[in-house]
């Protein structure tokens, strides 16, 4: 919050060569490719918290301005993708949900009428992400709902170790990290899947530095490594973190050698 990073971007993609690793049937998850825009600095997680001997409370607060800025970010992304945005709320119960829906509807009509807008309740969305994940393009939602839904969606591809994220503000630095967080129990054992962290670097290149070609090169390298059979333990393989990282780095260098559009410097 101190950095003003209000937009948490979590891409969800299922690779063709990892369809067998998904907990769902291949015909359900094939071609899944959507992104969650989660508002990151408001809602329950940042509201006033109280605890007494008899109970506890967490205050959920959203301002119009907070909803407007994440809404514009998500609509802009949808316009550049497949032109569809699903706004997720709990407008049937929560006042913040009713406000959220009103603001999103207004921004859509005034600024992004070319983008298709659907409103959905969070409980229904949690079910539909499992039933028909490829129906989504951009999902826009508030802090807690976005946390839950994006973690749910991250396992569609076979492992949360594949999932990257970017946290962005209106200007200045961003924060780029894998969705899975830290795992101190396996630190130093060469066991973790580095793909989530490497794909977070691709998001840094794209959103933080404006280097679209380089970002694409990193993403293509990950896909090529997977297509050639590179697998860490969470994906049913026996490669360690270091070996997987080296394999992906080799793919980046191979692509750069054969392209006049990408200039990469590795130390």
């Amino acid at each position: 919050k101190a950095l003003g990073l209000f937009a948490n971007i979590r891409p969800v993609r299922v690779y063709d060569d990892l369809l067998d690793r998904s907990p769902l049937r291949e015909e359900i998850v094939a071609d899944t490719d959507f992104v969650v825009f989660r508002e990151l600095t408001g809602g329950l997680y940042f509201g006033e918290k109280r605890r007494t001997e008899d109970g506890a409370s967490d205050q959920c607060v959203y301002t119009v301005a907070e909803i407007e800025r994440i809404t514009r970010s998500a609509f802009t992304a949808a316009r550049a993708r497949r032109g569809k945005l699903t706004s997720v709320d709990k407008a049937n119960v929560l006042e913040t949900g009713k406000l959220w829906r009103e603001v999103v509807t207004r921004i859509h009509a005034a600024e992004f009428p070319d983008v298709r807008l659907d409103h959905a309740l969070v409980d229904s969305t949690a079910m539909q992400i499992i039933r028909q994940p490829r129906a989504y393009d951009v999902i826009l939602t508030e802090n807690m709902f976005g946390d839950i839904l994006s973690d749910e969606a991250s396992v569609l591809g076979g492992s949360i170790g594949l999932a990257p994220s970017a946290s962005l503000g209106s200007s200045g630095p961003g924060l780029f990290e894998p969705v899975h967080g830290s795992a101190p129990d396996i630190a130093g054992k060469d066991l973790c899947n580095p793909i989530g962290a490497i794909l977070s670097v691709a998001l840094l290149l794209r959103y933080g530095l404006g280097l679209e070609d380089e970002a694409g090169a990193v993403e293509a390298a990950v896909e090529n490594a997977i297509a050639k059979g590179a697998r860490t333990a969470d994906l049913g393989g026996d490669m360690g973190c270091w070996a997987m990282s080296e394999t992906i780095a080799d793919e980046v260098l191979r692509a750069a050698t054969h392209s006049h559009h990408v200039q990469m410097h590795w130390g």
Side-chain angles (χ1 to χ4, degrees), residues 89-102 145:
D89 56 45
K90 194 66 176 168
N92 59 334
V93 176
L94 302 177
E95 284 301 320
T96 50
K98 295 174 184 177
L99 177 64
W100 186 280
R101 186 168 295 204
E102 291 169 5
F145 296 162

Side-chain angles (χ1 to χ4, degrees), residues 1-181:
K1 189 161 190 174
L3 291 173
L5 307 180
F6 62 86
N8 184 228
I9 303 170
R10 295 188 171 190
V12 178
R13 182 184 172 194
V14 177
Y15 293 96
D16 290 343
D17 293 288
L18 292 178
L19 286 172
D20 61 320
R21 299 301 304 174
S22 176
L24 302 182
R25 297 196 307 271
E26 291 186 8
E27 61 266 28
I28 293 176
V29 296
D31 300 320
T32 294
D33 180 5
F34 64 88
V35 59
V36 177
F37 271 69
R38 166 192 173 192
E39 200 291 323
L40 196 57
T41 58
L44 277 173
Y45 292 177
F46 286 90
E48 181 181 351
K49 305 176 189 307
R50 293 183 179 179
R51 181 72 180 267
T52 68
E53 292 183 2
D54 299 323
S57 68
D58 296 279
Q59 190 175 31
C60 184
V61 177
Y62 267 110
T63 66
V64 170
E66 286 175 325
I67 301 171
E68 285 178 338
R69 62 187 184 182
I70 186 68
T71 296
R72 289 190 174 98
S73 295
F75 268 123
T76 300
R79 178 179 277 167
R81 286 172 54 91
R82 300 192 299 276
K84 179 182 176 182
L85 184 142
T86 304
S87 178
V88 178
D89 56 45
K90 194 66 176 168
N92 59 334
V93 176
L94 302 177
E95 284 301 320
T96 50
K98 295 174 184 177
L99 177 64
W100 186 280
R101 186 168 295 204
E102 291 169 5
V103 172
V104 172
T105 300
R106 173 171 54 80
I107 295 288
H108 172 247
E111 302 178 31
F112 300 92
D114 54 311
V115 177
R116 175 183 168 186
L117 170 63
D118 294 323
H119 294 286
L121 299 176
V122 63
D123 40 359
S124 172
T125 304
M127 292 186 286
Q128 293 303 322
I129 282 177
I130 299 302
R131 293 185 60 196
Q132 46 181 359
R134 63 170 167 258
Y136 294 100
D137 182 16
V138 174
I139 293 176
L140 164 67
T141 192
E142 59 98 65
N143 203 341
M144 185 175 72
F145 296 162
D147 187 10
I148 296 168
L149 291 177
S150 61
D151 278 3
E152 175 194 16
S154 71
V155 303
L156 293 174
S159 171
I160 197 172
L162 298 168
S165 78
S167 297
L168 306 175
S170 299
S171 61
L175 178 65
F176 306 87
E177 60 182 338
V179 169
H180 56 67

Side-chain angles (χ1 to χ4, degrees), residues 167-238:
S167 297
L168 306 175
S170 299
S171 61
L175 178 65
F176 306 87
E177 60 182 338
V179 169
H180 56 67
S182 63
D185 56 317
I186 60 171
K189 298 181 180 179
D190 196 32
L191 293 176
C192 77
N193 184 344
I195 289 179
I198 292 171
L199 290 177
S200 296
V201 171
L203 297 182
L204 183 154
L205 291 167
R206 174 174 295 115
Y207 294 112
L209 301 175
L211 300 174
E212 180 60 39
D213 288 342
E214 287 80 354
V218 173
E219 291 164 343
V222 169
E223 186 169 6
N224 290 339
I226 291 172
K228 293 178 180 180
R231 303 286 189 277
T232 44
D234 58 315
L235 298 175
D238 57 6

